[in-house]
Amino acid sequence: MVVNAEGIPIRTTLDNSTTVQYAGLLHQLTMKAKSTVRDIDPQNDLTFLRIRSKKHEIMVAPDKEYLLIAIQNPCE
Amino acid sequence: MEIVYVYVKKRSEFGKQCNFSDRQAELNIDIPPNPELAKQFVERNPVDTGIQCSTSMSEHEANTERFEMETRGVNHIEGGWPKDVNPLELEQTIRFRKKVEKDENYVNTIMRLGSIVEHCIKQNNAIDIYQEYFDDEDAVEVMEEAPSAKTVNVFRDPQEIKRPATHISLHPDGNRKLAVAYSCLNFQRAPEGMSNESYIWDLENPNRPEIVLKPSSPLVTLEYNPKDSHVLLAGCYNGQIACWDTRKGSLVAELSTIEFSHRDPVYGTIWLQSKTGTECFSASTDGQVMWWDVRKMSEPTEVVIMDITKKEQLEHALGATSLEFEATLPTKFMVGTEQGIVISCNRKAKTPAEKIVCTFSGHHGPIYALQRNPFYPKNFLTVGDWTARIWSEDSRESSIMWTKYHMAYLTDGAWSPVRPAVFFTTKMDGTLDIWDFVFKQCDPALSLKVCDEALFCLRVQDNGCFIACGSQLGTTTLLEVSNGLCTLQRNEKNMVSSIFERETRREKILETRHREMRLKEKGKAEGKDSHPREEKPALNLEQLVTEAEEEFFDVIFTELKRREAEAMKEKPKPLKPPSLETEDEVEGEEQGKEERDREESPTLEGQP
């Protein structure tokens, strides 16, 4: 799904409630991760965030204004 | 050699102010170096010494103040929409979205980001990066660390008047909760205004109990139903049995009628394995063991009286202080009594007299804990008076293994559900002992002082890792033990079974020997029955004493005479060198002294 800088889902392939949940939570997490990377090295920046859990993997590609989130079921 | 400097002061000048003055240095003593002494030392070349050039630091520990936490939920609603768009209106949101999509920047960004994400997705599809390649390596782990345990959480009684925690039960699935029964077991010494409540704690929140149980009389024991985790069974101080359903609230769901309940505090309640999952039984110091069905608590389904003379007399019954039931042996159960005897019973016996199968006696005081070894049910652990004993069902005369007598009374004990050689005991001085008898047999493997007051009860979690112990002031401490004590060691089962077998065999041999000796004595006594008259005067105590004295004196005198003879032999030997002669004379003198002493002592003792 595609989320904008305020956390509003623009385009999505999931149902609304899940989208809203993912959008809100991942947006905050990405902000936090970005600021962490920046804190450690001010010249560094977050390019990609991958969260692997038992059931699936969440991939987040951040940008200045938008966020592209993909959720995949790894082939295990 | 003392170095002394003498000075003289007038008595009138004592206490006078000191007036310091300068004077030349005087040489009082000059001690030149003595090179002879250097010969006692060996010169060492080269010499190693350690130097560190760094800042000197010190270590300091500080305990932070207890942090009170509260869990609260947050309500998420959709947000972030600009002011003119109402998130509930589908049309407006669609319009907004379409507007954003038409933005050029949007398209470029998405193309770029899309390619990055595609790359990662393809990566994932190609290889599973978390696949276990080295599974075999994990098996070869040698646990060399010393056993240790640390406190995870402490649950304090929120009441003003602190009550001892008498029983702990862990939630059957997941062990997220802890039910603790609080009551004051000292007869009629419960302080005024002591609350009857008992609590169920959530392990995450030590500040406030999750559920409060409100009985009419304080609870002595409390057990979760292993089949249904919402139901709890409790034994009250006044002898009643109570049952709670946590879904229904904190008041009692079922309560047994007081006429048919026990007459003394109920010390043991256990759920039984049954199809309905509603059967339980209880034991109390009034000497009765009762079976109940929770659906009908008005009277017990069965009552057995703990009378070891098998006459079913309540007056001779022994008070029960602990109860044991193992699900794998559903017809047998064991009762530990106040008199220090363990009674093993069979529920399915036809007559009540046959219900009591055998007894094991060995403790000097009430048996507070009784549990079969989860791996070897024939062996069981009893904790009472100042020792913990391990018994085997085959050996009825005495326990097969026991700990030494401790300084403090032992209050509770339990086996570890994971390791057959490990068991835990708690004492009145607030220490928790962890015993591992394949590691060390005379002392506990680990002895921890949990708190300053006495510990009353103990419970081990099913994975053997967590132990909860309750103290006299109602503080329940949750401890986590180190890995070594909760993982099964290699060969442990074999070692434990061989230890048990060996000890059982030893006890059996001793038993047979004792029996033989007793039979012999009986035989002797029977043989002497033909001379009973001659035996009788000997039974007179005074005559026994005089006989003993005479024997004693005889022995002394023969000894004296022997020594005199020896002394006489040694004196006519003047050819020996002078030093030895003097030794002989000294010996002779000493012997003479001894004889004189001996002569004196019998005369002293001879005067009653």
Side-chain angles (χ1 to χ4, degrees), chain B residues 71-260:
Chain B
T71 333
R72 282 178 187 276
V74 182
N75 190 17
H76 284 283
I77 50 172
E78 238 182 279
W81 293 97
K83 291 235 170 86
D84 54 346
V85 178
N86 183 1
L88 300 167
E89 286 270 326
L90 206 53
E91 269 190 39
Q92 291 185 16
T93 53
I94 291 177
R95 221 188 309 144
F96 181 80
R97 286 197 175 114
K98 286 214 174 118
K99 196 175 63 174
V100 172
E101 279 175 16
K102 297 222 171 80
D103 189 14
E104 230 188 79
N105 191 13
Y106 173 83
V107 178
N108 291 337
T109 328
I110 295 302
M111 295 298 287
R112 190 169 46 87
L113 293 180
S115 54
I116 299 175
V117 176
E118 238 187 277
H119 171 74
C120 285
I121 291 178
K122 284 183 183 159
Q123 234 181 26
N124 270 348
N125 288 337
I127 291 178
D128 173 16
I129 62 173
Y130 293 109
Q131 185 184 355
E132 282 283 342
Y133 292 109
F134 303 110
D135 265 326
D136 306 329
E137 301 277 314
D138 292 351
V140 189
E141 267 181 60
V142 184
M143 298 289 178
E144 287 294 347
E145 56 186 66
S148 65
K150 61 174 197 276
T151 317
V152 171
N153 228 331
V154 176
F155 303 92
R156 277 173 235 272
D157 187 3
Q159 296 285 328
E160 291 276 323
I161 303 171
K162 304 283 178 194
R163 307 149 300 161
T166 46
H167 203 89
I168 298 179
S169 171
L170 288 162
H171 193 100
D173 15 85
N175 293 310
R176 294 179 306 269
K177 297 197 205 171
L178 189 67
V180 186
Y182 297 91
S183 62
C184 182
L185 286 174
N186 288 328
F187 183 59
Q188 293 190 347
R189 244 180 271 165
E192 285 288 321
M194 185 181 96
S195 147
N196 293 340
E197 293 172 354
S198 290
Y199 301 115
I200 296 182
W201 298 85
D202 187 329
L203 290 185
E204 306 294 315
N205 186 4
N207 299 320
R208 236 175 335 124
E210 198 184 327
I211 301 176
V212 176
L213 303 172
K214 296 191 179 115
S216 50
S217 146
L219 299 179
V220 179
T221 66
L222 191 52
E223 281 289 332
Y224 266 104
N225 186 343
K227 297 250 173 76
D228 182 359
S229 54
H230 294 281
V231 179
L232 291 134
L233 175 71
C236 297
Y237 191 66
N238 63 0
Q240 284 177 304
I241 309 288
C243 186
W244 266 270
D245 189 330
T246 51
R247 294 167 293 206
K248 287 190 193 161
S250 49
L251 291 175
V252 186
E254 305 277 339
L255 188 59
S256 63
T257 45
I258 201 150
E259 291 85 15
F260 293 107

